[in-house]
Amino acid sequence: MSNGTPSSSAPAASRYARFSPGRIWTLAAATVTQLVRMKILAFVIVFCMIVVAMGFAFPVLNPEQQLKFLKDVSFGALQFFSVVIAIVATAVLMPRDLEDRTLYTILSKPVPRHEYLIGKLLGVLVLLACGLVIMDVVLSGVLYLRQNIVLGQALQAMEHEGAATPENIASVTASVAKQGLTWSLHVGVLAIFLKASVVAALALLISCFASTTLFTIVITFLFAIAGHGHQLFREYFLEGKTTVAMEKIGAAVLAIVCPDLGMFDVVDNVTKGDAPPVSDMLYLGGMALVYVTGYLVVSHLLFVEKEL
């Protein structure tokens, strides 16, 4: 009897000690449900309204300008809302779990703290991905509809002016198609998701030591703003004022403390109808993974020492 008891308890202990993707996914699914109930996706509705409104605004512009203007405004709104969702959704999670005492229930299962952090971040990323897919579909639909409208108007105007030669028709059609719905649009949305993922991981890190939700939101927003000016900071503080070795070390420290979010800005190329090379997107994906993993590791180190 005494020999059987340890052997029966050992498998249970090892089962809970192992890294469990199932537990992480359960936490992620619960996080998505929690955020949906908090109406975080209301930003998606606002974005859709903006895109639909911009899709039929400024008809006096030429066809290429109308489509480019629609993409400029839409991608600007898409970037803004994705960052807002990433920060706000992440910042409210831990304080809400503490307030509802859900965190104590989860960690008493037992669930390792690193699985809790990964599950919460994964839930935010799933919500972000779903929101961006919805916004991408709406933008694609409006852009495709607007593309057909402006092309029809341009061809009709050419026929009215007697300039509807095969060469002119082909030129206008190619120009409108380049500014219309292309695969580069979806590549731009992917780059925005990678940027928002880094911001969400950063918000999670800050929430591990922040005293209030407002503090997490404000500080993360400041880091996000600084991250878009990463190149300017590097040029101002480092280049020409130190040795080459010190510049490299300083740039590395700056990149660790403040994420270089400017590298994810491919909107200019996308709005011109040019898709970034596959190698560039692989590089951005790798850098996003490095940032997210690094912030998760630091978050775990802080969260382990946090008194609950």
Side-chain angles (χ1 to χ4, degrees):
M1 294 293 292
S2 59
N3 294 334
T5 303
S7 61
S8 61
S9 60
S14 62
R15 181 173 68 252
Y16 285 114
R18 291 198 303 264
F19 181 81
S20 173
R23 286 198 299 263
I24 292 176
W25 180 249
T26 300
L27 286 168
T31 301
V32 173
T33 303
Q34 179 183 7
L35 293 174
V36 170
R37 289 175 178 173
M38 295 167 61
K39 298 180 175 59
I40 294 295
L41 284 180
F43 292 105
V44 177
I45 300 175
V46 177
F47 171 82
C48 295
M49 295 173 61
I50 292 175
V51 171
V52 172
M54 290 299 102
F56 300 95
F58 302 98
V60 296
L61 300 175
N62 64 45
E64 294 82 1
Q65 290 176 332
Q66 290 185 46
L67 297 175
K68 188 176 185 302
F69 178 80
L70 172 59
K71 289 192 291 185
D72 285 337
V73 175
S74 299
F75 270 102
L78 201 153
Q79 291 194 80
F80 175 76
F81 287 130
S82 64
V83 171
V84 170
I85 292 174
I87 295 176
V88 175
T90 309
V92 301
L93 287 177
M94 197 175 298
R96 180 61 62 89
D97 285 351
L98 284 170
E99 180 182 344
D100 299 340
R101 305 191 68 83
T102 307
L103 179 59
Y104 304 103
T105 304
I106 294 174
L107 296 182
S108 64
K109 291 299 183 181
V111 174
R113 295 196 180 194
H114 65 272
E115 288 188 359
Y116 171 81
L117 293 175
I118 296 174
K120 288 296 179 179
L121 180 61
L122 180 59
V124 174
L125 297 186
V126 169
L127 183 77
L128 268 172
C130 293
L132 286 173
V133 167
I134 294 173
M135 290 187 277
D136 188 9
V137 170
V138 172
L139 174 57
S140 298
V142 173
L143 186 60
Y144 180 75
L145 178 61
R146 192 59 187 165
Q147 174 184 347
N148 289 331
I149 291 175
V150 297
L151 179 59
Q153 292 173 344
L155 295 178
Q156 186 177 8
M158 291 173 59
E159 291 179 358
H160 184 267
E161 297 172 359
T165 63
E167 293 79 8
N168 290 340
I169 293 176
S171 176
V172 171
T173 303
S175 179
V176 171
K178 183 177 181 180
Q179 290 298 333
L181 180 60
T182 60
W183 283 107
S184 62
L185 180 79
H186 311 302
V187 174
V189 175
L190 175 60
I192 291 175
F193 171 75
L194 295 176
K195 179 195 293 187
S197 300
V198 174
V199 174
L202 177 61
L204 181 67
L205 187 157
I206 296 174
S207 68
C208 287
F209 65 83
S211 56
T212 63
T213 301
L214 180 60
F215 179 85
T216 301
I217 293 174
V218 172
I219 296 302
T220 308
F221 263 116
L222 292 177
F223 269 99
I225 294 172
H228 286 88
H230 200 278
Q231 181 65 30
L232 296 176
F233 284 129
R234 189 160 58 240
E235 291 177 355
Y236 182 79
F237 289 107
L238 300 176
E239 293 186 5
K241 298 183 179 181
T242 57
T243 63
V244 175
M246 290 300 295
E247 286 181 9
K248 293 182 178 180
I249 296 175
V253 173
L254 182 60
I256 294 173
V257 174
C258 180
D260 186 4
L261 300 179
M263 72 171 68
F264 299 99
D265 291 334
V266 299
V267 174
D268 289 340
N269 291 333
V270 169
T271 54
K272 295 176 183 177
D274 300 326
V278 176
S279 58
D280 290 354
M281 294 307 300
L282 291 176
Y283 173 77
L284 293 182
M287 289 303 300
L289 181 61
V290 169
Y291 273 121
V292 171
T293 303
Y295 288 145
L296 269 175
V297 171
V298 178
S299 298
H300 179 250
L301 295 176
L302 295 173
F303 193 47
V304 166
E305 301 298 328
K306 189 179 182 69
E307 295 184 1
L308 299 175

